[in-house]
């Protein structure tokens, strides 16, 4: 007899158990989905934090204007690329022509191995650029996209309207004849020697009076916009040739995450600097307050006091300089340093020299190089040659920039030290 299927009786207890199982399955599924969503969310947040949010965090604020991490990082990479380009140029000339650039190359290597140094240099430069642009805008100075494009083309030696011919305007440099007082003070020299030229030879003692010294007002080197490779190809004299060269350069920078916008921004900043400097120095005259002086340099204060007493007793300055001065370069010509302007000497020496009346002899003046006895032989406005005049303009501009930074509301955030780019890096030479 066949077995018959007996229908199961579904009890309330059985229904309740099934319902609990369904709820547990739904809960487990919900937890799993939530876990996946959390992981995806964390990954997305991490990506946005690293690639979006972090790049928008400020590294500095200048009068309410923000320098963001991303743009600063691009500029750091650009600076490193510039330094590498310069290093490769030195290496090329050293290998091809036997020129010794080992010291310059070592300095670049040292700087590249100090990312914080490069980062600080770039941050300072970007702060300067903002201050310059803010002042330029106050004065109604603007830089157009067309001017930026022209500057880029000129940097690539592309002149669609022809290469401009430089015009040289000679500077009339004439020194006045000596007064009877000066002839009495220094009869061995018929006319004063113009100081601070390339013919001045530093002495073995490193005497500041024979070597122009850098001061706090010395302008930092202005970066060239875009470095070209050391083995540059032929100058592109057609628009197509220029565009090809420029695009190749952009592709090279793009490998390091440096955008065309950043490159053009660097050109724009340079134009703002040039225009503002021209505005600030438009009434500047090509002359400079200068002193014609001679000195005797010795090691101790006792020696300096003894020489001062000898001079007060009427002994000849030139003879004592030739006999006793440790600055043998100037000592050979009676201690004569020629004419020099402000910023050429270390501060204590300069302050004393400019405060002296013609013919007056200073008491011992201490500097990092020893003790000086200084005599002023002349004090007047002297004409500047073209190079000196450009340096004077740069100094005036740098003085303005220093004052502007002191007056500005500048905030920097130390967090930038944790995100300094180290690329591009100097590659080890092949073995």
């Amino acid at each position: 007899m066949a077995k018959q299927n007996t229908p199961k009786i579904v009890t309330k207890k059985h229904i309740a158990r099934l319902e609990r199982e369904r709820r547990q399955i739904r809960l487990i599924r919900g937890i799993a989905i939530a876990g996946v969503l959390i992981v995806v969310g964390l990954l997305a947040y991490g990506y946005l934090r690293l690639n979006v949010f972090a790049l928008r965090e400020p590294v500095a604020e200048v009068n309410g204007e923000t320098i963001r991490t991303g743009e600063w990082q691009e500029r750091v990479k650009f600076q490193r690329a510039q330094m590498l380009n310069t290093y490769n140029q030195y290496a090329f000339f050293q290998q091809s022509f036997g020129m010794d650039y080992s010291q310059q190359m070592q300095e670049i290597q040292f700087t590249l191995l100090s990312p914080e140094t490069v980062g600080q240099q770039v941050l300072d430069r970007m702060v300067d650029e903002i201050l310059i642009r803010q002042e330029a805008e106050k004065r109604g100075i603007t830089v157009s996209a067309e001017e930026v494009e022209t500057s880029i083309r000129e940097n690539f030696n592309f002149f669609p309207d022809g290469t401009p011919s430089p015009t040289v305007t000679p500077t009339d440099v004439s020194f006045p004849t000596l007064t009877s007082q000066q002839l009495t003070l220094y009869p061995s020299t018929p006319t004063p020697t113009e100081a601070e030229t390339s013919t001045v030879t530093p002495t073995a003692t490193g005497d500041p009076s024979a070597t122009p010294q850098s001061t706090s007002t010395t302008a930092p080197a202005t970066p060239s916009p875009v470095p070209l490779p050391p083995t540059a190809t032929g100058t592109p004299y057609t628009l197509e040739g220029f565009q090809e060269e420029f695009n190749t350069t952009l592709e090279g920078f793009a490998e390091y995450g440096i955008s065309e916008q950043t490159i053009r921004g660097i050109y724009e900043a340079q134009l703002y600097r040039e225009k503002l400097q021209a505005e600030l120095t438009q009434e500047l005259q090509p002359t400079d307050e200068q002193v014609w002086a001679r000195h005797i340099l010795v090691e101790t204060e006792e020696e300096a006091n003894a020489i001062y007493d000898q001079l007060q007793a009427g002994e000849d300055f030139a003879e004592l300089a030739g006999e006793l001065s440790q600055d043998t370069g100037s000592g050979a010509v009676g201690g004569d340093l020629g004419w020099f302007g402000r910023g050429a000497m270390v501060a204590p020496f300069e302050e004393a020299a400019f405060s002296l009346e013609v013919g007056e002899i200073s008491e011992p003046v201490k500097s990092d190089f020893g003790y000086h006895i200084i005599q002023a032989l002349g004090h007047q406005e002297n004409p500047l040659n073209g190079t000196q005049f450009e340096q004077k303009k740069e100094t005036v501009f740098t003085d303005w920039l220093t004052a502007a930074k002191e007056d500005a509301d500048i905030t920097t955030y130390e967090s930038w030290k944790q995100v300094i780019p180290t690329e591009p890096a100097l590659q080890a030479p092949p073995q």
Side-chain angles (χ1 to χ4, degrees), residues 12-256:
K12 293 182 178 180
K13 184 177 181 181
H14 181 67
I15 293 174
R17 181 172 62 82
L18 292 177
E19 183 61 28
R20 286 197 304 271
E21 289 177 352
R22 283 195 293 270
R23 286 200 299 267
Q24 290 173 350
I25 292 172
R26 286 198 299 269
L27 179 62
I28 293 172
R29 185 181 296 116
I31 292 174
I33 293 174
V36 171
L37 292 176
I38 290 173
V39 171
V40 172
L42 290 174
L43 291 175
Y45 175 77
Y47 176 83
L48 292 174
R49 178 74 176 82
L50 182 64
N51 295 280
V52 179
F53 302 147
L55 299 181
R56 296 189 58 81
E57 290 182 354
V59 293
E61 294 180 1
V62 185
N63 293 330
E65 186 169 341
T66 301
I67 301 175
R68 302 197 180 279
T69 299
E71 58 186 351
W72 167 77
Q73 287 179 327
E74 283 195 44
R75 289 293 297 272
V76 172
K77 294 175 184 178
F78 175 84
Q79 175 71 6
R80 295 181 66 89
Q82 267 196 320
M83 296 174 68
L84 284 173
N85 179 71
T86 303
Y87 181 91
N88 291 334
Q89 287 180 327
Y90 285 143
F92 174 78
F93 288 124
Q94 184 163 284
Q95 294 172 4
S96 301
F97 307 108
M99 301 177 180
D100 185 11
Y101 287 108
S102 55
Q103 181 177 350
Q104 293 89 332
M105 293 169 69
Q106 288 174 1
E107 290 174 355
I108 293 175
Q109 284 180 310
F110 179 80
T111 304
L112 287 172
L113 292 174
S114 177
E116 190 168 317
T117 298
V118 181
Q120 186 67 65
Q121 290 174 347
V122 171
L123 185 56
D124 290 343
R125 183 171 298 152
M126 294 180 75
V127 168
D128 290 350
E129 289 172 358
I130 290 177
L131 290 172
I132 290 169
R133 180 170 48 75
Q134 288 175 344
E135 180 65 23
E137 291 174 351
K138 289 178 185 177
R139 295 170 177 262
I141 298 172
T142 60
V143 173
S144 66
E146 291 75 15
E147 289 175 309
V148 172
E149 179 67 21
T150 298
S151 180
I152 293 173
R153 292 183 178 191
E154 290 176 354
N155 188 68
F156 279 78
N157 294 323
F158 174 57
F159 300 92
D161 299 323
T163 305
S165 299
T167 58
V168 179
T169 303
T171 303
D172 183 16
V173 178
S174 59
F175 290 91
T177 57
L178 301 187
T179 64
S180 58
Q181 181 189 19
Q182 289 172 325
L183 287 171
T184 302
L185 291 170
Y186 203 53
S188 60
T189 303
T191 56
T193 303
E194 182 184 1
E196 208 177 345
T197 66
S198 58
T199 59
V200 177
T201 303
T203 64
T205 60
D207 174 41
S209 303
T211 306
Q213 301 294 308
S214 60
T215 68
S216 59
T217 60
T218 302
T222 302
S224 57
V226 178
L228 296 176
T231 54
T233 59
T235 303
Y237 287 108
T238 65
L239 178 59
E240 293 76 13
F242 155 71
Q243 290 174 336
E244 181 178 352
E245 288 289 328
F246 184 54
N247 289 335
T248 299
T249 300
L250 292 178
E251 290 171 3
F253 282 120
E255 294 179 2
Y256 302 113

Side-chain angles (χ1 to χ4, degrees), residues 214-387:
S214 60
T215 68
S216 59
T217 60
T218 302
T222 302
S224 57
V226 178
L228 296 176
T231 54
T233 59
T235 303
Y237 287 108
T238 65
L239 178 59
E240 293 76 13
F242 155 71
Q243 290 174 336
E244 181 178 352
E245 288 289 328
F246 184 54
N247 289 335
T248 299
T249 300
L250 292 178
E251 290 171 3
F253 282 120
E255 294 179 2
Y256 302 113
I258 305 171
S259 67
E260 180 177 357
Q261 180 182 0
T262 293
I263 300 299
R264 290 185 178 274
I266 293 170
Y267 279 98
E268 181 185 66
Q270 181 64 20
L271 289 172
Y272 270 116
R273 180 188 178 94
E274 293 171 359
K275 286 189 173 187
L276 182 59
Q277 179 172 325
E279 174 80 11
L280 293 173
T281 60
Q282 60 180 336
E283 297 182 359
L284 203 63
Q285 298 300 312
T287 62
D288 191 29
E289 180 189 11
Q290 294 186 343
V291 169
W292 177 29
R294 58 182 175 180
H295 82 143
I296 301 171
L297 173 68
V298 292
E299 184 174 352
T300 67
E301 187 175 7
E302 292 73 19
E303 292 175 285
N305 284 326
I307 293 172
Y308 179 77
D309 291 340
Q310 289 176 275
L311 292 169
Q312 294 301 309
E315 294 197 33
D316 185 73
F317 194 109
E319 290 181 2
L320 290 177
E323 178 184 349
L324 301 174
S325 182
Q326 293 184 358
D327 176 12
T328 55
S330 67
V333 289
D336 187 14
L337 297 171
W339 291 98
F340 56 86
R342 295 189 183 276
M345 310 297 179
V346 290
F349 188 99
E350 176 186 292
E351 182 179 349
F354 274 86
S355 67
L356 295 173
E357 299 291 335
V358 175
E360 185 180 358
I361 297 174
S362 74
E363 295 185 3
V365 176
K366 186 179 185 303
S367 78
D368 293 338
F369 299 88
Y371 290 83
H372 309 262
I373 305 296
I374 309 167
Q375 184 180 37
L377 302 175
H379 193 162
Q380 63 197 30
E381 288 282 331
N382 281 331
L384 300 175
N385 61 34
T387 301

